Amino acid sequence: MKMLRFLFLVPVFVYGCCGNAAASDGGAIIIGGSSGSAVIVLGADSPEADQYASNELAKYLGEITGAKYEVSDKADADKVNIYVGEKAARQIKPDLPIEELETDGIIIQTDGRNLILAGDPPRGTLYAVYTFLDDLGCRWWSSDASTIPSKPEIVVKDYDLVYNPPLEYREPYWYDAFNGDWAARNKNNGHRPSLESRHGGKHVYCGFVHTFYSLIPPDKYFKDHPEWFSEIKGKRKTERAQLCLSNEQMRKELVKNLKEKLRSMPEATIASVSQNDWYGYCTCPECSAIYAEEGSQAGAMIRFVNKVAEDIEEEFPEVAISTLAYQYTRKPPKLVKPRENVIVRLCSIECSFGVPFEHERNKAFQEDIIGWSKICDRLYIWDYVTNFKHHVLPHPNLNVLGPNVKFLVDHGAKGIFEQGAYSTNGAEMAELRAWVLAKLLWDPSLDSQKLIDEFLAGYYGPAGKDIKAYLELIHNESAKAGDYLGCFAGIANSKVNVGWHGASSKFISYEVMAKSWNYLQSAEKSVSDDAVLRFRVQCAELPVMYAFMMCWKEMRQQADESGIKWPMPESIDEVYVRFVEIAKKKNITRLNEWEKGYGNIDKALVEAKK
């Protein structure tokens, strides 16, 4: 049993010029100087991910100090030795407690003139290297933007760190975050990123979600076995329906089909057996009796997936069965408990995302997570951090990201999937959200506001100050307006694409958007001589341009009534042309979850010209 969780002894780094000595009189390790004064020691026959970790360390230490670093299977008595991976580390510390680490746990220690970077295989050593580089000031903001400090020497003192991340599964689901190198450097290990064996792999789903009909296809089975599908109002049906979870024959066929899929996917670590993305649960007498006994439709679901998990366990002992607590299955059952090899993914889709989960508005979700945490050993969360109706619209939920991740971990979450805009590049503040969430999923104790501030300064440079002012404005105005801010929020001032549950973005008014635009124009002006930073700011302007176009008539009327000078071109067509120019350069392919292209604003153009 792996028992360690957290142990921090804070590392101390001093940057400066201290000559070419390998170690100072005070016992500090000095890396850098004209000779490099360090060797990266990699054990013979080390795993591929450890080899990659060594190469990454050599690469970035070289960028930081300007020296070259050798990767060798032998230590050098005249230099600092950085032992990377378990095989190398045990050369000087045979009792290194690698086996006591939890999933992806890391160890970073100084030992005399040596530095140890190791971790739980297969990814832990790579994460130890990236943690060390992160402490040196390396930041990978996005797939194509990073900050690597430049210092001739690094002095490392008193480093003793054992850290086990509380989440075994970490996935900020944003388009840019799918880049494998970025995901590894920010310690994401979820299903979607292009993580390869050199990155230590990842969690791989066999069927990611909503798999009932892929496991029991209606076209194949309904004609001969209608009893395998939902009975609704006395009739068996497949349209917007589910499976009959009390039917044993169906379960045996599903297990057979699932095993065939798993045999073709030896890399799979999780298999999804989960409801379709709608209601339509079975109301036959047998299923209904289970619901009544368990006090929830989740009772039939967990009984069913428990049997599936038991059936596949012998052949696939490393594979867990994943199901959902979603819509009609959100309420935990009274009696049955998920097996050890069952993962329950609790979904927050109905929540108000403008306030933390611990807010009174989200009381129902609080009750659900408390209930599931009492009975489920592997509770995962499917969280929502975008607006699916309007990916590019301002969505002021940044203030809750840190509190929400901490809340979920405090209530037993072992994995978190943060669903953003996965199908298009350039959704509202996407790079910021992905980076901040990645940091929080690795260490939920971090201060999310400090992370946001750090990203704004690092990614936008001098423009970060004005962009921060813009973000603070829309968050404050949304709070004042009392916005529910659902993940399908519409726009209160727009006749186009009004939202779900009446969860509209009431903060989007002319006065607020005009002030926002002024902040963003100031931000662009501050980096006008830097083409890269200027384009990043222009992408940050798209949400406000989008809001103006979606509410064009209403905005013009409010401008006349308020007396506040109109900040946009006189013609919506001019704004549209500029929006599309930037959006295409950013490779934005859609503006909402379901429709390719720019249909949302195409409709707004028609409305504006009526």
Side-chain angles (χ1 to χ4, degrees):
M1 180 68 68
K2 295 179 177 181
M3 300 299 293
L4 293 180
R5 175 61 70 180
F6 301 103
L7 169 61
F8 287 104
L9 293 180
V10 179
V12 177
F13 297 97
V14 180
Y15 296 101
C17 298
C18 305
N20 293 326
S24 70
D25 293 339
I29 295 173
I30 300 174
I31 302 170
S34 58
S35 65
S37 69
V39 172
I40 297 170
V41 182
L42 179 69
D45 301 319
S46 288
E48 183 181 1
D50 289 10
Q51 297 176 40
Y52 182 67
S54 298
N55 292 332
E56 286 282 272
L57 182 62
K59 171 185 175 181
Y60 285 107
L61 287 180
E63 288 191 27
I64 294 170
T65 66
K68 291 185 178 180
Y69 295 87
E70 177 189 5
V71 178
S72 174
D73 59 357
K74 293 182 175 61
D76 187 329
D78 296 325
K79 294 185 177 182
V80 168
N81 294 291
I82 306 175
Y83 292 85
V84 177
E86 180 180 2
K87 288 193 174 184
R90 290 201 187 280
Q91 295 177 23
I92 59 167
K93 200 161 189 178
D95 61 345
L96 197 70
I98 295 290
E99 66 282 350
E100 296 181 25
L101 292 173
E102 297 181 9
T103 302
D104 295 340
I106 64 172
I107 296 175
I108 305 178
Q109 294 179 344
T110 50
D111 181 10
R113 291 170 55 186
N114 304 303
L115 176 64
I116 294 171
L117 302 171
D120 174 60
R123 293 177 290 271
T125 293
L126 186 60
Y127 291 161
V129 165
Y130 288 137
T131 297
F132 177 67
L133 292 171
D134 191 81
D135 285 342
L136 296 183
C138 295
R139 297 291 184 271
W140 296 276
W141 309 115
S142 71
S143 62
D144 60 1
S146 61
T147 296
I148 308 300
S150 177
K151 300 288 181 180
E153 292 184 339
I154 304 161
V155 180
V156 185
K157 296 182 179 179
D158 303 328
Y159 214 143
D160 190 357
L161 169 66
V162 176
Y163 179 73
N164 289 300
L167 295 167
E168 65 185 29
Y169 185 104
R170 305 173 297 277
E171 185 164 12
Y173 200 64
W174 292 88
Y175 186 91
D176 190 66
F178 300 159
N179 178 277
D181 289 340
W182 183 91
R185 289 164 184 161
N186 289 287
K187 309 181 192 77
N188 299 332
N189 62 5
H191 172 80
R192 181 59 181 82
S194 301
L195 291 160
E196 303 172 5
S197 56
R198 63 191 170 98
H199 300 120
K202 60 181 180 179
H203 292 282
V204 177
Y205 273 82
C206 175
F208 189 61
V209 73
H210 304 311
T211 58
F212 271 3
Y213 280 3
S214 64
L215 292 167
I216 299 292
D219 291 348
K220 180 177 180 180
Y221 292 111
F222 184 72
K223 181 179 179 181
D224 295 329
H225 297 285
E227 72 279 7
W228 289 7
F229 299 87
S230 289
E231 180 181 311
I232 300 174
K233 295 181 179 180
K235 292 184 178 181
R236 298 286 177 172
K237 58 180 293 186
T238 62
E239 184 180 354
R240 300 192 70 80
Q242 307 287 346
L243 300 177
C244 178
L245 299 180
S246 60
N247 191 293
E248 286 293 304
Q249 282 188 320
M250 182 276 292
R251 180 181 61 79
K252 291 177 181 178
E253 185 70 9
L254 183 146
V255 168
K256 186 193 77 165
N257 294 340
L258 177 59
K259 285 183 175 180
E260 289 176 359
K261 289 177 181 290
L262 287 170
R263 289 175 191 131
S264 69
M265 286 188 65
E267 72 279 13
T269 58
I270 303 171
S272 175
V273 179
S274 55
Q275 67 208 58
N276 298 323
D277 196 10
W278 46 73
Y279 279 74
Y281 55 84
C282 183
T283 59
C284 76
E286 291 79 10
C287 286
S288 296
I290 299 173
Y291 305 155
E293 186 178 8
E294 292 282 2
S296 168
Q297 283 85 2
M301 184 70 71
I302 298 303
R303 291 187 189 189
F304 181 81
V305 297
N306 274 352
K307 290 179 181 178
V308 173
E310 184 177 6
D311 289 341
I312 65 114
E313 189 173 40
E314 182 176 356
E315 185 175 352
F316 305 99
E318 301 302 320
V319 175
I321 297 297
S322 171
T323 197
L324 295 174
Y326 174 60
Q327 295 181 339
Y328 64 90
T329 56
R330 257 187 53 185
K331 184 180 178 182
K334 292 179 181 178
L335 304 175
V336 67
K337 296 182 180 181
R339 296 180 92 244
E340 289 185 359
N341 63 333
V342 168
I343 294 169
V344 174
R345 286 204 279 185
L346 173 63
C347 302
S348 65
I349 194 166
E350 294 90 354
C351 285
S352 171
F353 299 104
V355 294
F357 286 144
E358 61 185 359
H359 191 277
E360 181 66 20
R361 284 185 199 165
N362 294 318
K363 186 175 180 180
F365 181 75
Q366 296 167 26
E367 292 173 351
D368 289 339
I369 194 171
I370 289 170
W372 282 108
S373 67
K374 291 177 179 178
I375 65 173
C376 185
D377 291 331
R378 294 181 73 181
L379 177 62
Y380 283 16
I381 305 297
W382 187 307
D383 190 24
Y384 303 81
V385 286
T386 189
N387 180 350
F388 295 111
K389 285 187 75 73
H390 303 282
H391 280 317
V392 187
L393 190 71
H395 190 61
N397 69 337
L398 295 176
N399 291 347
V400 308
L401 298 183
N404 280 358
V405 170
K406 188 175 186 303
F407 174 89
L408 296 173
V409 171
D410 288 347
H411 286 79
K414 298 293 179 62
I416 299 179
F417 172 80
E418 299 282 12
Q419 186 178 3
Y422 67 91
S423 57
T424 185
N425 200 14
E428 188 254 357
M429 302 308 291
E431 290 85 358
L432 182 153
R433 295 172 186 279
W435 186 83
V436 169
L437 285 167
K439 294 298 182 185
L440 292 170
L441 295 179
W442 175 255
D443 183 357
S445 72
L446 295 175
D447 185 322
S448 55
Q449 187 56 58
K450 289 182 179 178
L451 291 172
I452 291 168
D453 291 347
E454 183 181 5
F455 182 92
L456 293 175
Y459 188 73
Y460 293 107
K465 176 172 62 69
D466 285 317
I467 293 180
K468 179 180 179 180
Y470 150 66
L471 292 173
E472 287 179 345
L473 172 66
I474 63 171
H475 281 75
N476 291 338
E477 292 297 327
S478 180
K480 283 197 292 185
D483 280 316
Y484 189 86
L485 206 70
C487 58
F488 294 89
I491 310 171
N493 284 323
S494 174
K495 294 181 181 179
V496 183
N497 283 330
V498 174
W500 184 49
H501 295 320
S504 297
S505 302
K506 296 190 290 292
F507 73 96
I508 296 179
S509 67
Y510 171 69
E511 182 178 356
V512 174
M513 291 299 102
K515 287 181 180 178
S516 297
W517 187 249
N518 289 336
Y519 281 129
L520 292 167
Q521 291 302 287
S522 176
E524 184 176 352
K525 184 178 179 180
S526 70
V527 292
S528 58
D529 58 348
D530 187 317
V532 172
L533 294 181
R534 186 182 182 193
F535 180 66
R536 291 177 190 169
V537 174
Q538 289 172 341
C539 293
E541 294 170 353
L542 292 177
V544 176
M545 297 170 67
Y546 180 84
F548 267 99
M549 286 188 288
M550 294 300 293
C551 311
W552 191 263
K553 280 185 174 180
E554 296 80 7
M555 291 287 192
R556 294 307 301 253
Q557 181 178 346
Q558 291 175 23
D560 293 339
E561 294 171 354
S562 69
I564 299 173
K565 183 179 178 182
W566 180 255
M568 289 280 151
E570 289 300 313
S571 166
I572 189 175
D573 294 297
E574 292 181 59
V575 183
Y576 178 83
V577 168
R578 182 61 177 151
F579 181 97
V580 171
E581 178 186 358
I582 298 169
K584 287 187 175 180
K585 186 176 178 182
K586 182 63 174 173
N587 193 30
I588 295 177
T589 57
R590 62 178 69 204
L591 302 176
N592 61 52
E593 185 73 6
W594 312 276
E595 182 181 19
K596 290 183 179 179
Y598 302 155
N600 281 10
I601 50 177
D602 290 337
K603 295 170 188 173
L605 283 172
V606 173
E607 180 67 28
K609 294 175 181 179
K610 285 182 179 178

PDB file of all heavy atoms in Angstrom, residues 53-70:
ATOM      1  N   ALA A  53      13.247  12.346 -20.123  1.00  0.00           N
ATOM      2  CA  ALA A  53      13.379  13.304 -19.029  1.00  0.00           C
ATOM      3  C   ALA A  53      14.801  13.841 -18.946  1.00  0.00           C
ATOM      4  O   ALA A  53      15.026  15.041 -18.739  1.00  0.00           O
ATOM      5  CB  ALA A  53      12.975  12.652 -17.706  1.00  0.00           C
ATOM      6  N   SER A  54      15.784  12.967 -19.114  1.00  0.00           N
ATOM      7  CA  SER A  54      17.183  13.400 -19.083  1.00  0.00           C
ATOM      8  C   SER A  54      17.495  14.360 -20.215  1.00  0.00           C
ATOM      9  O   SER A  54      18.191  15.369 -20.021  1.00  0.00           O
ATOM     10  CB  SER A  54      18.102  12.175 -19.173  1.00  0.00           C
ATOM     11  OG  SER A  54      17.909  11.306 -18.077  1.00  0.00           O
ATOM     12  N   ASN A  55      16.987  14.047 -21.389  1.00  0.00           N
ATOM     13  CA  ASN A  55      17.227  14.924 -22.539  1.00  0.00           C
ATOM     14  C   ASN A  55      16.542  16.274 -22.373  1.00  0.00           C
ATOM     15  O   ASN A  55      17.102  17.321 -22.743  1.00  0.00           O
ATOM     16  CB  ASN A  55      16.742  14.244 -23.822  1.00  0.00           C
ATOM     17  CG  ASN A  55      17.578  13.031 -24.189  1.00  0.00           C
ATOM     18  OD1 ASN A  55      18.766  12.956 -23.844  1.00  0.00           O
ATOM     19  ND2 ASN A  55      16.979  12.063 -24.866  1.00  0.00           N
ATOM     20  N   GLU A  56      15.331  16.275 -21.815  1.00  0.00           N
ATOM     21  CA  GLU A  56      14.635  17.530 -21.550  1.00  0.00           C
ATOM     22  C   GLU A  56      15.401  18.362 -20.522  1.00  0.00           C
ATOM     23  O   GLU A  56      15.529  19.583 -20.661  1.00  0.00           O
ATOM     24  CB  GLU A  56      13.216  17.244 -21.039  1.00  0.00           C
ATOM     25  CG  GLU A  56      12.253  16.780 -22.092  1.00  0.00           C
ATOM     26  CD  GLU A  56      11.749  17.927 -22.958  1.00  0.00           C
ATOM     27  OE1 GLU A  56      10.751  18.574 -22.610  1.00  0.00           O
ATOM     28  OE2 GLU A  56      12.382  18.176 -23.996  1.00  0.00           O
ATOM     29  N   LEU A  57      15.919  17.715 -19.493  1.00  0.00           N
ATOM     30  CA  LEU A  57      16.689  18.436 -18.476  1.00  0.00           C
ATOM     31  C   LEU A  57      17.939  19.051 -19.089  1.00  0.00           C
ATOM     32  O   LEU A  57      18.254  20.231 -18.836  1.00  0.00           O
ATOM     33  CB  LEU A  57      17.062  17.486 -17.343  1.00  0.00           C
ATOM     34  CG  LEU A  57      17.837  18.098 -16.178  1.00  0.00           C
ATOM     35  CD1 LEU A  57      17.019  19.177 -15.487  1.00  0.00           C
ATOM     36  CD2 LEU A  57      18.252  17.010 -15.179  1.00  0.00           C
ATOM     37  N   ALA A  58      18.647  18.282 -19.895  1.00  0.00           N
ATOM     38  CA  ALA A  58      19.856  18.805 -20.542  1.00  0.00           C
ATOM     39  C   ALA A  58      19.516  19.978 -21.459  1.00  0.00           C
ATOM     40  O   ALA A  58      20.222  20.997 -21.489  1.00  0.00           O
ATOM     41  CB  ALA A  58      20.546  17.693 -21.334  1.00  0.00           C
ATOM     42  N   LYS A  59      18.425  19.849 -22.193  1.00  0.00           N
ATOM     43  CA  LYS A  59      18.015  20.901 -23.128  1.00  0.00           C
ATOM     44  C   LYS A  59      17.730  22.208 -22.395  1.00  0.00           C
ATOM     45  O   LYS A  59      18.261  23.271 -22.756  1.00  0.00           O
ATOM     46  CB  LYS A  59      16.778  20.443 -23.891  1.00  0.00           C
ATOM     47  CG  LYS A  59      16.123  21.534 -24.734  1.00  0.00           C
ATOM     48  CD  LYS A  59      14.821  21.032 -25.355  1.00  0.00           C
ATOM     49  CE  LYS A  59      14.087  22.137 -26.093  1.00  0.00           C
ATOM     50  NZ  LYS A  59      12.807  21.664 -26.668  1.00  0.00           N
ATOM     51  N   TYR A  60      16.914  22.152 -21.354  1.00  0.00           N
ATOM     52  CA  TYR A  60      16.481  23.388 -20.698  1.00  0.00           C
ATOM     53  C   TYR A  60      17.533  23.956 -19.760  1.00  0.00           C
ATOM     54  O   TYR A  60      17.642  25.185 -19.630  1.00  0.00           O
ATOM     55  CB  TYR A  60      15.140  23.175 -20.004  1.00  0.00           C
ATOM     56  CG  TYR A  60      14.016  23.127 -21.008  1.00  0.00           C
ATOM     57  CD1 TYR A  60      13.373  21.935 -21.317  1.00  0.00           C
ATOM     58  CD2 TYR A  60      13.640  24.274 -21.691  1.00  0.00           C
ATOM     59  CE1 TYR A  60      12.363  21.893 -22.263  1.00  0.00           C
ATOM     60  CE2 TYR A  60      12.632  24.242 -22.654  1.00  0.00           C
ATOM     61  CZ  TYR A  60      11.995  23.049 -22.934  1.00  0.00           C
ATOM     62  OH  TYR A  60      11.013  23.015 -23.894  1.00  0.00           O
ATOM     63  N   LEU A  61      18.339  23.114 -19.118  1.00  0.00           N
ATOM     64  CA  LEU A  61      19.464  23.657 -18.362  1.00  0.00           C
ATOM     65  C   LEU A  61      20.415  24.388 -19.296  1.00  0.00           C
ATOM     66  O   LEU A  61      20.995  25.421 -18.945  1.00  0.00           O
ATOM     67  CB  LEU A  61      20.197  22.547 -17.609  1.00  0.00           C
ATOM     68  CG  LEU A  61      19.485  21.956 -16.384  1.00  0.00           C
ATOM     69  CD1 LEU A  61      20.347  20.872 -15.752  1.00  0.00           C
ATOM     70  CD2 LEU A  61      19.132  23.035 -15.369  1.00  0.00           C
ATOM     71  N   GLY A  62      20.575  23.845 -20.497  1.00  0.00           N
ATOM     72  CA  GLY A  62      21.408  24.505 -21.491  1.00  0.00           C
ATOM     73  C   GLY A  62      20.840  25.852 -21.901  1.00  0.00           C
ATOM     74  O   GLY A  62      21.578  26.835 -22.044  1.00  0.00           O
ATOM     75  N   GLU A  63      19.526  25.914 -22.103  1.00  0.00           N
ATOM     76  CA  GLU A  63      18.904  27.188 -22.469  1.00  0.00           C
ATOM     77  C   GLU A  63      19.025  28.200 -21.341  1.00  0.00           C
ATOM     78  O   GLU A  63      19.215  29.395 -21.585  1.00  0.00           O
ATOM     79  CB  GLU A  63      17.438  26.967 -22.833  1.00  0.00           C
ATOM     80  CG  GLU A  63      17.232  26.258 -24.171  1.00  0.00           C
ATOM     81  CD  GLU A  63      15.786  26.291 -24.622  1.00  0.00           C
ATOM     82  OE1 GLU A  63      15.058  27.234 -24.237  1.00  0.00           O
ATOM     83  OE2 GLU A  63      15.375  25.374 -25.352  1.00  0.00           O
ATOM     84  N   ILE A  64      18.908  27.747 -20.108  1.00  0.00           N
ATOM     85  CA  ILE A  64      18.962  28.665 -18.970  1.00  0.00           C
ATOM     86  C   ILE A  64      20.365  29.224 -18.775  1.00  0.00           C
ATOM     87  O   ILE A  64      20.554  30.442 -18.635  1.00  0.00           O
ATOM     88  CB  ILE A  64      18.492  27.957 -17.679  1.00  0.00           C
ATOM     89  CG1 ILE A  64      17.008  27.601 -17.772  1.00  0.00           C
ATOM     90  CG2 ILE A  64      18.738  28.853 -16.454  1.00  0.00           C
ATOM     91  CD1 ILE A  64      16.526  26.685 -16.658  1.00  0.00           C
ATOM     92  N   THR A  65      21.357  28.338 -18.766  1.00  0.00           N
ATOM     93  CA  THR A  65      22.715  28.763 -18.389  1.00  0.00           C
ATOM     94  C   THR A  65      23.631  29.022 -19.570  1.00  0.00           C
ATOM     95  O   THR A  65      24.704  29.624 -19.407  1.00  0.00           O
ATOM     96  CB  THR A  65      23.372  27.686 -17.503  1.00  0.00           C
ATOM     97  OG1 THR A  65      23.574  26.487 -18.282  1.00  0.00           O
ATOM     98  CG2 THR A  65      22.512  27.363 -16.286  1.00  0.00           C
ATOM     99  N   GLY A  66      23.259  28.521 -20.756  1.00  0.00           N
ATOM    100  CA  GLY A  66      24.136  28.672 -21.916  1.00  0.00           C
ATOM    101  C   GLY A  66      25.214  27.629 -21.996  1.00  0.00           C
ATOM    102  O   GLY A  66      26.032  27.644 -22.922  1.00  0.00           O
ATOM    103  N   ALA A  67      25.276  26.711 -21.034  1.00  0.00           N
ATOM    104  CA  ALA A  67      26.278  25.635 -21.049  1.00  0.00           C
ATOM    105  C   ALA A  67      25.691  24.376 -21.663  1.00  0.00           C
ATOM    106  O   ALA A  67      24.482  24.273 -21.870  1.00  0.00           O
ATOM    107  CB  ALA A  67      26.758  25.362 -19.622  1.00  0.00           C
ATOM    108  N   LYS A  68      26.563  23.412 -21.960  1.00  0.00           N
ATOM    109  CA  LYS A  68      26.126  22.128 -22.476  1.00  0.00           C
ATOM    110  C   LYS A  68      26.201  21.083 -21.362  1.00  0.00           C
ATOM    111  O   LYS A  68      27.122  21.095 -20.546  1.00  0.00           O
ATOM    112  CB  LYS A  68      26.991  21.695 -23.661  1.00  0.00           C
ATOM    113  CG  LYS A  68      26.780  22.548 -24.898  1.00  0.00           C
ATOM    114  CD  LYS A  68      27.565  21.993 -26.086  1.00  0.00           C
ATOM    115  CE  LYS A  68      27.309  22.834 -27.339  1.00  0.00           C
ATOM    116  NZ  LYS A  68      28.049  22.330 -28.522  1.00  0.00           N
ATOM    117  N   TYR A  69      25.247  20.160 -21.366  1.00  0.00           N
ATOM    118  CA  TYR A  69      25.162  19.162 -20.304  1.00  0.00           C
ATOM    119  C   TYR A  69      25.144  17.767 -20.921  1.00  0.00           C
ATOM    120  O   TYR A  69      24.315  17.466 -21.792  1.00  0.00           O
ATOM    121  CB  TYR A  69      23.927  19.400 -19.447  1.00  0.00           C
ATOM    122  CG  TYR A  69      24.015  20.711 -18.714  1.00  0.00           C
ATOM    123  CD1 TYR A  69      23.588  21.886 -19.321  1.00  0.00           C
ATOM    124  CD2 TYR A  69      24.583  20.786 -17.455  1.00  0.00           C
ATOM    125  CE1 TYR A  69      23.702  23.109 -18.678  1.00  0.00           C
ATOM    126  CE2 TYR A  69      24.699  22.004 -16.801  1.00  0.00           C
ATOM    127  CZ  TYR A  69      24.266  23.160 -17.418  1.00  0.00           C
ATOM    128  OH  TYR A  69      24.402  24.362 -16.774  1.00  0.00           O
ATOM    129  N   GLU A  70      26.052  16.943 -20.434  1.00  0.00           N
ATOM    130  CA  GLU A  70      26.193  15.583 -20.926  1.00  0.00           C
ATOM    131  C   GLU A  70      25.251  14.654 -20.174  1.00  0.00           C
ATOM    132  O   GLU A  70      25.084  14.764 -18.953  1.00  0.00           O
ATOM    133  CB  GLU A  70      27.630  15.105 -20.727  1.00  0.00           C
ATOM    134  CG  GLU A  70      27.877  13.660 -21.132  1.00  0.00           C
ATOM    135  CD  GLU A  70      29.253  13.166 -20.709  1.00  0.00           C
ATOM    136  OE1 GLU A  70      29.975  13.924 -20.024  1.00  0.00           O
ATOM    137  OE2 GLU A  70      29.574  12.014 -21.042  1.00  0.00           O
TER     138      GLU A  70
END
